[in-house]
Amino acid sequence: MLIERHHYPTLSFESINPSLVPPIMVSSISQTSILLLLLFYASTFQKGMSNNLREVRCNEKDRQTLLIFKQGIVRDPYNKLVTWSSEKDCCAWKGVQCDNTTSRVTKLDLSTQSLEGEMNLALLELEFLNHLDLSMNNFNAISIPSIPNDVISDSNLQYLDLSLSGYNLSMDNLNWLSQLSSLKQLDLRGTDLHKETNWLLAMPPSLSNLYLRDCQLTSISPSANLTSLVTVDLSYNNFNSELPCWLFNLSNDISHLDLSWSSLHGEIPLSLFNHQNLEYLDLSHNMFSGSIPSSLGNLTSLTFLDIGSNSFSGTISETHFSRLRNLEYLHLSNSSFAFHFNPEWVPLFQLKVLDLDNTNQGAKLPSWIYTQKSLEYLDISSSGITFVDEDRFKRLIAGNYFMLDMSNNSINEDISNVMLNSSFIKLRHNNFSGRLPQLSNVQYVDLSHNSFTGSIPPGWQNLNYLFYINLWSNKLFGEVPVELSNLTRLEVMNLGKNEFYGTIPINMPQNLQVVILRYNHFEGSIPPQLFNLSFLAHLDLAHNKLSGSIPQVTYNITQMVRSEFSHSFVDDDLINLFTKGQDYEYNLKWPRATVDLSANNLTGEIPLELFGLIQVQTLNLSYNHLIGTIPKTIGGMKNLESLDLSNNKLFGEIPQTMTTLSFLSYLNMSCNNFTGQI
């Protein structure tokens, strides 16, 4: 504190000289007036302090070091470094923090600024720096100058975050880290370290938190002196080895261990389950084998456990989890061990997340799952479940989940009287029957490949946040409600392979990207408004009773003209795509432009505008009554992979411009009246 540099007199009642007080006040001076004098002295003292602070400037050596770093920056889109000028005290520069007493730089935070250029770690010469964060930037190179040992060994740096600081940013040598004797947290996530084979030996023993996720590491030393570690994240690397010995010698204070996606194999040593302070354990997506020991239950502090996607064998039962009263996140997906839970078991924990995707739960849904009242994410898909407790099951799926996924089982229940409240609902590939359930606050619903009957419930027209609906392959019927146009956020509408009838609604939600009405009984003409849906990328009206001509209007389908795909789909969003003469299950995550109007009763000529959709990859107009010739402009559809114009009444010569369609791998123009050479 600057107060130590100034010698202000101690102020008390006794220190006030009566001779300095006017005579008229001597006799009437009171404690109140003395307090006023005290306030006067205090304000004078504070003014002296603030004036002195304004006079202090940052250390010149620190300023020069910061400017060396700035020289390497070639792009600063948020103008963070504009303030780094000689006109300002460097302690006032954005991102810089100085100590109030020494005026030395103690913290530099330039995270998430999209800085481009060279990351110059001359910053390590800042003697009093204890916090350095350059994460989430776009550096393309790292410069690590030779720093004298006496400088770096006296470093006060405790926090160093260079994570995600540049695409393919690499470091060949980490030896400089070993001298940072005070370092407690190191985050190099996303940095390419594949050339550094002795990275572990460079780690200072003082480390408490180590984050080396996705660093392309290929080797890991069998021993290391890192007994102070509390957090270890070595996920998304390629070690191709067994667990190293030093991991079992960690202090009992270890609380976070993430080794997922790291090509580790072998059995899990029993000593790993002795760390009773461990709260987070992720061993998923490796090649671990052997059985899960019952000593897993020793980890009584666990809140997060993921041991899925390995090669574990044996049996897992309530004895493994009976003492884990703090567990909130349990991931056992893609596991081959057998599940044997006592039907009377009631866990001590209440989970928020339960992931049992692709496991063998047996024919009956385990009873203990019904006891979980705090679930926000429930995935029991592809788990062989056939039987459920009807009443308890209906209460279970009526929960307010973010994600509810029971796909790919054989559950046979009528859930028409259930209100589903989850944001994401996946119940595809089951035997659900009866009318469609009521929905509330839903964003995504997939009820495809079931046996639902009846029409679309009126309440579905009020789902303001719905962006995905898939009802493919059910027994639904009736007309499509015109009120669906009110679903302004709807992007995917798949009503295919049902028994819907009537005309296609003229008004459709303007954000639609996928419209599938295939295999129904729609009749009447194709609404021209469909070709004004700017974001439409997949239009499938095949196998209906549509008549009239293909609309000859100005097609305003941006995504079929320009490659500007945008979507909100998730990894397993699948649709049935007919292309190249076959049916496929296609992942919507990969943009694809399709127009399929086949197997209808369409007449007239093919509009020229249709051949202007140059991003289209599949065009199928087969099995209609179309007439006319194929225009030369078809040669502009450079992305065509599958073209089927068969079984129409087309005539004339096949345009030579089609020879420019270099991606075309399927072509069917049979059963027409073409002339001339092919």
Side-chain angles (χ1 to χ4, degrees):
M1 294 291 291
L2 288 174
I3 188 170
E4 298 174 358
R5 299 184 180 182
H6 301 273
H7 302 286
Y8 291 95
T10 303
L11 189 62
S12 63
F13 294 130
E14 292 81 3
S15 65
I16 300 177
N17 189 342
S19 64
L20 300 178
V21 183
I24 192 171
M25 297 180 62
V26 171
S27 59
S28 60
I29 193 166
S30 65
Q31 184 171 345
T32 302
S33 59
I34 292 174
L35 288 174
L36 289 173
L37 286 171
L38 283 169
L39 289 173
F40 170 77
Y41 272 88
S43 64
T44 304
F45 169 73
Q46 289 178 348
K47 185 178 292 185
M49 287 277 289
S50 61
N51 287 339
N52 187 274
L53 276 174
R54 281 196 293 269
E55 293 171 0
V56 174
R57 299 183 64 84
C58 80
N59 180 273
E60 178 63 19
K61 182 179 179 182
D62 289 357
R63 190 176 75 88
Q64 291 298 329
T65 301
L66 292 170
L67 290 176
I68 290 173
F69 171 80
K70 182 184 178 182
Q71 288 173 2
I73 306 302
V74 297
R75 187 168 181 268
D76 177 18
Y78 300 118
N79 296 321
K80 189 80 168 185
L81 305 185
V82 169
T83 60
W84 288 34
S85 67
S86 57
E87 298 176 1
K88 283 190 176 183
D89 182 349
C90 77
C91 290
W93 292 353
K94 286 187 177 179
V96 178
Q97 183 174 308
C98 295
D99 183 86
N100 289 338
T101 303
T102 65
S103 69
R104 300 298 297 269
V105 175
T106 58
K107 181 177 180 179
L108 178 61
D109 187 347
L110 295 175
S111 61
T112 322
Q113 296 301 313
S114 298
L115 298 174
E116 296 180 18
E118 180 184 72
M119 180 201 297
N120 195 322
L121 289 184
L123 294 170
L124 297 175
E125 295 187 32
L126 296 169
E127 301 173 55
F128 290 85
L129 188 69
N130 59 48
H131 184 113
L132 176 58
D133 191 346
L134 301 177
S135 63
M136 303 292 289
N137 282 293
N138 297 317
F139 295 109
N140 54 28
I142 298 176
S143 174
I144 306 175
S146 178
I147 302 173
N149 286 339
D150 60 334
V151 173
I152 197 168
S153 61
D154 292 334
S155 170
N156 291 300
L157 194 64
Q158 297 185 27
Y159 180 101
L160 177 59
D161 190 348
L162 306 180
S163 63
L164 303 173
S165 53
Y167 180 71
N168 277 342
L169 201 61
S170 63
M171 290 187 190
D172 297 345
N173 192 311
L174 296 179
N175 290 338
W176 52 276
L177 281 171
S178 62
Q179 302 299 314
L180 301 177
S181 57
S182 300
L183 194 64
K184 295 188 179 301
Q185 176 153 323
L186 174 64
D187 194 340
L188 298 178
R189 283 175 292 179
T191 306
D192 183 355
L193 302 176
H194 80 276
K195 293 183 180 179
E196 174 54 277
T197 57
N198 293 319
W199 59 271
L200 196 55
L201 301 180
M203 299 297 145
S206 56
L207 273 180
S208 297
N209 304 302
L210 176 62
Y211 301 93
L212 296 178
R213 178 188 179 95
D214 192 19
C215 288
Q216 302 182 42
L217 296 168
T218 57
S219 63
I220 184 168
S221 301
S223 61
N225 184 25
L226 295 174
T227 56
S228 298
L229 284 174
V230 173
T231 299
V232 179
D233 185 351
L234 300 178
S235 59
Y236 288 85
N237 285 291
N238 190 26
F239 296 123
N240 194 25
S241 68
E242 295 186 351
L243 285 176
C245 296
W246 62 269
L247 275 173
F248 316 133
N249 297 323
L250 296 174
S251 73
N252 289 328
D253 293 327
I254 183 74
S255 63
H256 183 114
L257 182 59
D258 190 346
L259 303 175
S260 60
W261 295 91
S262 288
S263 300
L264 293 165
H265 55 81
E267 296 190 7
I268 305 296
L270 294 177
S271 54
L272 184 62
F273 300 106
N274 293 331
H275 297 284
Q276 296 186 4
N277 288 323
L278 196 60
E279 299 176 7
Y280 185 107
L281 178 60
D282 192 345
L283 304 177
S284 65
H285 294 91
N286 282 291
M287 297 172 285
F288 292 121
S289 57
S291 59
I292 303 296
S294 59
S295 54
L296 172 68
N298 294 340
L299 304 178
T300 53
S301 298
L302 272 184
T303 60
F304 181 102
L305 175 63
D306 191 345
I307 54 176
S309 298
N310 279 286
S311 300
F312 292 121
S313 57
T315 301
I316 197 164
S317 67
E318 68 277 3
T319 59
H320 292 84
F321 305 104
S322 58
R323 289 181 289 163
L324 305 184
R325 63 175 61 248
N326 297 305
L327 197 62
E328 296 181 350
Y329 303 85
L330 179 58
H331 299 262
L332 302 174
S333 63
N334 302 303
S335 297
S336 55
F337 40 66
F339 289 79
H340 290 298
F341 289 97
N342 187 325
E344 305 299 323
W345 178 55
V346 178
L348 296 175
F349 52 73
Q350 282 293 320
L351 298 174
K352 293 181 180 178
V353 172
L354 175 59
D355 185 358
L356 298 175
D357 170 37
N358 194 26
T359 57
N360 183 10
Q361 296 298 318
K364 190 171 183 178
L365 183 67
S367 298
W368 70 268
I369 295 177
Y370 295 124
T371 70
Q372 301 301 294
K373 308 300 183 184
S374 301
L375 284 169
E376 300 169 5
Y377 182 107
L378 176 59
D379 187 347
I380 321 178
S381 59
S382 305
S383 295
I385 297 171
T386 302
F387 303 105
V388 296
D389 183 311
E390 181 178 353
D391 292 335
R392 289 201 295 174
F393 178 75
K394 289 181 178 180
R395 289 195 296 270
L396 179 70
I397 63 174
N400 189 14
Y401 304 100
F402 173 75
M403 171 70 80
L404 172 65
D405 191 347
M406 293 190 173
S407 303
N408 303 306
N409 287 291
S410 300
I411 303 172
N412 187 357
E413 284 294 326
D414 181 342
I415 57 173
S416 55
N417 61 345
V418 178
M419 173 71 78
L420 300 180
N421 300 289
S422 303
S423 296
F424 287 73
I425 299 171
K426 298 181 180 182
L427 300 179
R428 62 176 177 254
H429 284 284
N430 276 285
N431 296 320
F432 289 112
S433 58
R435 301 182 70 85
L436 291 169
Q438 291 293 328
L439 304 177
S440 175
N441 300 316
V442 174
Q443 300 179 48
Y444 178 113
V445 58
D446 187 346
L447 304 178
S448 62
H449 298 279
N450 279 287
S451 299
F452 289 110
T453 61
S455 58
I456 296 176
W460 283 32
Q461 302 156 19
N462 302 316
L463 299 173
N464 296 327
Y465 297 100
L466 188 67
F467 73 86
Y468 182 104
I469 177 174
N470 189 350
L471 301 177
W472 174 272
S473 189
N474 278 281
K475 299 176 182 178
L476 300 167
F477 55 83
E479 296 190 14
V480 175
V482 295
E483 291 84 0
L484 286 183
S485 62
N486 297 329
L487 304 179
T488 57
R489 301 192 183 191
L490 195 63
E491 297 178 5
V492 175
M493 182 174 69
N494 187 351
L495 307 182
K497 209 170 184 181
N498 282 285
E499 298 175 19
F500 290 112
Y501 53 78
T503 58
I504 297 174
I506 294 176
N507 295 316
M508 289 283 195
Q510 291 300 303
N511 286 316
L512 275 172
Q513 298 185 41
V514 175
V515 175
I516 300 176
L517 303 178
R518 186 184 188 91
Y519 291 123
N520 277 289
H521 305 294
F522 290 107
E523 55 188 8
S525 59
I526 299 174
Q529 291 84 351
L530 277 176
F531 295 93
N532 285 319
L533 297 174
S534 299
F535 303 106
L536 191 63
H538 186 92
L539 176 62
D540 188 347
L541 307 180
H543 292 271
N544 280 285
K545 300 177 181 179
L546 299 172
S547 58
S549 59
I550 301 174
Q552 294 184 332
V553 296
T554 301
Y555 290 4
N556 187 28
I557 309 178
T558 305
Q559 297 204 95
M560 291 192 187
V561 177
R562 297 196 298 270
S563 182
E564 298 179 357
F565 290 99
S566 61
H567 58 78
S568 307
F569 313 134
V570 295
D571 287 344
D572 60 347
D573 287 337
L574 301 175
I575 61 171
N576 288 78
L577 170 68
F578 186 86
T579 184
K580 301 181 182 180
Q582 297 183 34
D583 270 311
Y584 296 90
E585 270 201 328
Y586 180 73
N587 194 323
L588 284 176
K589 184 179 180 182
W590 308 110
R592 185 178 184 88
T594 301
V595 175
D596 192 341
L597 308 179
S598 62
N600 280 286
N601 297 312
L602 300 175
T603 57
E605 296 186 359
I606 304 173
L608 287 176
E609 291 84 359
L610 190 61
F611 297 107
L613 304 178
I614 60 175
Q615 292 296 328
V616 167
Q617 293 157 287
T618 294
L619 177 60
N620 191 347
L621 304 178
S622 64
Y623 289 94
N624 281 290
H625 307 288
L626 300 172
I627 62 172
T629 60
I630 301 175
K632 295 179 180 179
T633 53
I634 193 174
M637 302 183 76
K638 303 292 186 182
N639 293 288
L640 262 185
E641 298 174 7
S642 177
L643 175 63
D644 193 343
L645 302 178
S646 65
N647 292 278
N648 279 286
K649 299 177 181 179
L650 300 171
F651 56 84
E653 292 189 356
I654 298 175
Q656 289 296 315
T657 55
M658 289 183 62
T659 60
T660 64
L661 303 179
S662 56
F663 289 106
L664 194 63
S665 59
Y666 179 88
L667 175 63
N668 190 350
M669 304 183 72
S670 62
C671 301
N672 281 288
N673 298 311
F674 294 119
T675 60
Q677 288 185 328
I678 297 178

